[in-house]
Amino acid sequence: MAEYPKQVTYCGVCTLPPEYCEFGGTVKKCEEWLKDNHPDMHAKLYSQEAIEQNLSTLSLEAQKRAEKDSQKKAAKAATAEAKAQEQRATSKVIIKRIERNKRKYVTAVQGLEAFGLDIKKVAKDFGKKFATGSSVTKVPGGGEEITVQGDLSDDILEYVVDQYKDIPEDNVECIEDKKKKAAG
Amino acid sequence: MFKKDISAGSKSKVKSSAQRGIRSKVVDQYPLLEPYMDEIMPKKEQLDLVKLPDRVALYTLSSTPLFFQHMDDPLLPHLSLIHRYPSCFPRLRIDRGAIRFVLSGATLMAPGLTSAGGRLPNDPQDGDGEFGMEELEPGTVVVIEAEGKENACMVGVLKMGTAEMKKVKKGQACEAGHYLGDGLWGLDLR
């Protein structure tokens, strides 16, 4: 019996054990990752011999079907990724300062979820970082935004750019709410 | 069970008495794990209970998932645990053709196990008895391995006894509980 606990390496791209990468739809990337990180394993899994052996166990028909399926899966994964990237490039984070009561303000942050962030957690982080109330509120038009108490628009801008490297600085926008209530 | 991506709900600490209960249940269900119990769940460590959608509870040790449970069903081991202690569970093997279906979350069908590449307990093709000798009853928790692969790809509950499977060679064999790449696998536990 082998020694326990057994150490299993997981693929850095698709998180599966490398031997299952071929079923994941991101085979190319997984292979490259494995080559860079675990060359010995790569040699074992992607050698000509191994591939041939894999193919020989299936009937021709099943092979074709499997191939078609995996191609479809790969295409799906690729489009999904492209879409996510596009969304990332186009979507904007909007930081808005809203006057609540004469000299009192709240700051609303919209659009963080497009960057794959969990806004609930980010809201908590904001609250911790700035020591103020911070919550996720529903926007009338649908969707959610983070509302932070106090005028923190500049600080949040800095923090967001600093903390979440996925978000390009140009995509973060700071606006001051224009529709001030009439004086009084 | 976890075909969609899921997000973890609240996380709470497990009482030490409940922790003992879990421990004894695990040993009851998977007697082969007993020698490693102290490594898996050290007595002094604090277990966490993470609530998942659809009344599934996941027991974790800091951020390593260990077992999950749907209501009061049997505890199922998380695949990362199985990968660490592979031979401590009742195992079956599927042929290569079935892997891609399993990894997309399909219910496992009997032909995947009865064909040349698959293995059932007490199998004539299984020379050294690696997959056990005793026939398994429906309702048993089994780990599904795959032909030509080292690690397990799925864990689930048998829907059909293995003896029946050999006779009928048709129908649903094992319900997919947790498979590689599903929502539970991708769950981020921080």
Side-chain angles (χ1 to χ4, degrees):
Chain A
M1 213 195 256
E3 245 173 72
Y4 290 139
K6 200 169 131 191
Q7 289 296 326
V8 179
T9 323
Y10 295 112
C11 173
V13 179
C14 61
T15 70
L16 306 183
E19 48 187 9
Y20 286 104
C21 281
E22 51 181 317
F23 300 100
T26 50
V27 191
K28 275 261 162 61
K29 269 194 189 156
C30 295
E31 189 181 343
E32 272 162 34
W33 179 89
L34 201 64
K35 207 173 183 177
D36 291 340
N37 291 283
H38 300 277
D40 48 330
M41 222 180 217
H42 178 266
K44 205 167 96 195
L45 283 175
Y46 289 95
S47 67
Q48 199 62 39
E49 237 173 278
I51 291 169
E52 265 167 31
Q53 202 194 349
N54 282 347
L55 291 180
S56 65
T57 49
L58 283 180
S59 71
L60 258 176
E61 204 186 326
Q63 255 178 58
K64 256 184 220 152
R65 248 181 296 146
E67 187 148 331
K68 219 174 178 180
D69 198 67
S70 74
Q71 261 171 12
K72 215 157 103 195
K73 227 173 177 179
K76 222 179 185 176
T79 49
E81 201 182 334
K83 217 174 176 181
Q85 214 157 40
E86 194 188 291
Q87 205 188 23
R88 205 161 278 192
T90 52
S91 56
K92 278 204 153 103
V93 176
I94 298 170
I95 300 171
K96 220 192 283 180
R97 190 177 79 161
I98 303 166
E99 191 178 271
R100 194 169 58 81
N101 203 351
K102 265 283 163 157
R103 275 166 44 236
K104 297 199 163 83
Y105 297 93
V106 290
T107 313
V109 186
Q110 283 177 347
L112 280 173
E113 64 272 18
F115 294 90
L117 295 169
D118 184 0
I119 45 174
K120 251 190 195 159
K121 281 199 181 120
V122 178
K124 182 103 184 162
D125 286 345
F126 280 166
K128 269 188 203 154
K129 163 82 180 153
F130 303 116
T132 58
S134 171
S135 64
V136 177
T137 44
K138 286 206 174 94
V139 183
E144 289 176 324
E145 65 176 14
I146 302 175
T147 311
V148 187
Q149 291 179 14
D151 177 11
L152 294 162
S153 42
D154 295 338
D155 301 279
I156 288 182
L157 178 81
E158 204 174 296
Y159 180 72
V160 165
V161 172
D162 235 45
Q163 195 76 8
Y164 307 108
K165 302 286 180 209
D166 284 354
I167 307 176
E169 199 173 344
D170 301 339
N171 282 17
V172 187
E173 210 176 348
C174 215
I175 17 177
E176 204 170 319
D177 208 5
K178 289 289 184 302
K179 48 167 188 187
K180 275 180 195 156
K181 280 175 205 146
Chain B
M1 217 187 288
F2 307 106
K3 268 193 183 178
K4 292 248 171 68
D5 279 344
I6 48 175
S7 59
S10 66
K11 185 174 169 184
S12 56
K13 286 178 176 148
V14 177
K15 276 190 203 163
S16 66
S17 57
Q19 210 164 315
R20 273 201 303 276
I22 294 166
R23 210 184 149 87
S24 65
K25 237 194 233 164
V26 169
V27 176
D28 252 16
Q29 252 184 60
Y30 311 105
L32 287 170
L33 265 181
E34 211 201 330
Y36 310 111
M37 269 328 275
D38 282 340
E39 281 169 54
I40 300 170
M41 276 183 205
K43 273 190 190 128
K44 298 275 171 195
E45 291 294 327
Q46 174 69 55
L47 280 184
D48 286 323
L49 173 104
V50 180
K51 277 191 186 156
L52 300 179
D54 294 333
R55 300 187 194 180
V56 175
L58 174 71
Y59 295 104
T60 64
L61 182 64
S62 62
S63 62
T64 10
L66 298 175
F67 294 93
F68 65 96
Q69 185 177 31
H70 174 244
M71 297 178 79
D72 276 330
D73 293 354
L75 286 159
L76 297 179
H78 190 267
L79 271 171
S80 65
L81 182 76
I82 297 168
H83 287 164
R84 276 180 288 151
Y85 304 93
S87 58
C88 297
F89 303 95
R91 288 174 303 159
L92 303 175
R93 200 177 85 174
I94 52 170
D95 61 15
R96 226 189 111 75
I99 301 177
R100 67 191 175 96
F101 297 109
V102 167
L103 291 203
S104 51
T107 304
L108 184 56
M109 298 304 200
L113 289 160
T114 52
S115 69
R119 290 282 183 277
L120 287 163
N122 202 5
D123 202 313
Q125 294 155 334
D126 178 21
D128 42 5
E130 196 195 332
F131 290 89
M133 282 304 175
E134 267 166 52
E135 301 291 344
L136 301 170
E137 294 295 314
T140 320
V141 177
V142 284
V143 168
I144 309 294
E145 297 187 338
E147 181 189 4
K149 308 284 179 198
E150 232 172 87
N151 296 311
C153 62
M154 182 179 125
V155 52
V157 178
L158 273 189
K159 271 191 154 178
M160 195 195 287
T162 51
E164 197 187 339
M165 254 184 249
K166 282 181 200 163
K167 252 185 272 157
V168 194
K169 303 198 172 173
K170 248 193 227 167
Q172 302 182 332
C174 177
E175 209 162 353
H178 168 37
Y179 56 93
L180 277 182
D182 66 356
L184 181 62
W185 179 257
L187 189 65
D188 188 14
L189 279 176
R190 267 169 307 138

